[in-house]
Amino acid sequence: MTSTDQNLAAPPAHAARIRTFHPRRGRMSGRQLDALDRLWPAYGLDIADLDGPFDPTALFGRQAPLVLEIGSGMGDATAAMAAADPDRHYLAVEVHTPGIANLLDLADRHAPGNVRVARGDALDLVRALPEGSLDAVHVFFPDPWPKARHHKRRLIQPGHVALLRSRLAPGGTLHCATDWADYAESMRETLTADPELVDTHGGFAPRPAHRPVTKFERRAVTAGRPVFDLIHRRVAPTPAPVRG
């Protein structure tokens, strides 16, 4: 572990208390309750239980490129992408219990065994992952925290992006999407400023066909809010010049 990685892995205590999400609960259907009861022991992970480095290979039982999905909502998009992409693992992080249960059910019925679901703070999970262990990170429609005094809670900000990027393998992608125009511009500026991320489209990306349209996105479009995609790729750091 590099000294830079140690700094990312151990944030100041006051920073650790700033949550980027709302803890959420909700009523669950019988189907969701059954899925949570049956599938969580085999396919679920409580992030709060992690103690030290985390090896995702042990969770999946095989080695494959890993996609981290931060904020999977009700899981429709995650399950569809995993079903269409059987050669990669999908690890979804969510705090909304009905969403966790719904994704477990969808993955059990439609995905080829390549989905696992983690409950808790995604940044704590990322800190526990080995550097360079992710093939992609998906951050689709994170909480925009629209009030200026809450912007410090936004997920896409320089320190968090540096942490996420450090866990990407060279060539891995960080794909963000939002329907909040000011957050989209803030995302663009933050991602562009990172020294080891390259914008794959020179600005906002055309809507990728592999990202399924969710009910949430349809509501945004119906309300007249455009959707912005940003896709950045990690490049290998430039070696420091050798001084004679």
Side-chain angles (χ1 to χ4, degrees):
M1 181 179 286
T2 66
S3 59
T4 299
D5 194 53
Q6 287 175 332
N7 292 336
L8 293 171
H14 71 276
R17 291 195 295 268
I18 299 176
R19 282 181 166 171
T20 62
F21 60 91
H22 284 295
R24 300 173 61 199
R25 293 185 178 274
R27 297 179 61 182
M28 291 192 288
S29 67
R31 174 182 59 81
Q32 291 168 345
L33 286 167
D34 174 69
L36 194 64
D37 184 59
R38 289 187 301 107
L39 302 171
W40 179 260
Y43 302 118
L45 169 71
D46 268 309
I47 295 171
D49 292 341
L50 293 177
D51 183 16
F54 168 60
D55 178 12
T57 302
L59 182 65
F60 286 89
R62 66 165 188 168
Q63 191 167 7
L66 178 62
V67 178
L68 179 67
E69 186 92 10
I70 298 180
S72 51
M74 294 305 291
D76 306 77
T78 307
M81 286 187 292
D85 190 16
D87 293 331
R88 295 199 295 180
H89 292 153
Y90 281 73
L91 177 55
V93 184
E94 184 52 62
V95 294
H96 184 46
T97 305
I100 291 170
N102 200 62
L103 175 53
L104 287 169
D105 177 63
L106 291 172
D108 184 52
R109 291 190 287 124
H110 302 298
N114 61 338
V115 175
R116 300 293 185 270
V117 186
R119 175 170 50 202
D121 191 329
L123 293 175
D124 287 342
L125 173 63
V126 174
R127 292 183 187 104
L129 287 169
E131 185 171 356
S133 60
L134 298 175
D135 196 55
V137 177
H138 293 165
V139 183
F140 298 155
F141 304 100
D143 194 326
W145 294 101
K147 295 181 180 178
R149 69 176 183 272
H150 292 154
H151 285 184
K152 63 181 179 293
R153 297 184 180 275
R154 286 179 167 177
L155 179 61
I156 301 303
Q157 55 181 283
H160 298 160
V161 168
L163 174 63
L164 294 171
R165 179 257 298 153
S166 74
R167 270 45 179 181
L168 284 171
T173 56
L174 174 54
H175 181 181
C176 303
T178 183
D179 60 319
W180 284 78
D182 76 305
Y183 196 9
E185 186 58 32
S186 173
M187 285 180 174
R188 188 190 65 79
E189 292 175 359
T190 299
L191 296 172
T192 301
D194 189 283
E196 293 179 36
L197 291 176
V198 172
D199 187 344
T200 62
H201 289 82
F204 297 116
R207 192 192 186 289
H210 65 263
R211 182 173 66 74
V213 180
T214 63
K215 293 178 182 178
F216 181 91
E217 185 174 357
R218 290 191 191 98
R219 286 198 298 268
V221 172
T222 299
R225 297 193 302 273
V227 173
F228 303 88
D229 281 86
L230 288 154
I231 304 174
H232 284 64
R233 188 178 306 279
R234 185 183 185 186
V235 296
T238 303
V242 177
R243 299 185 182 276

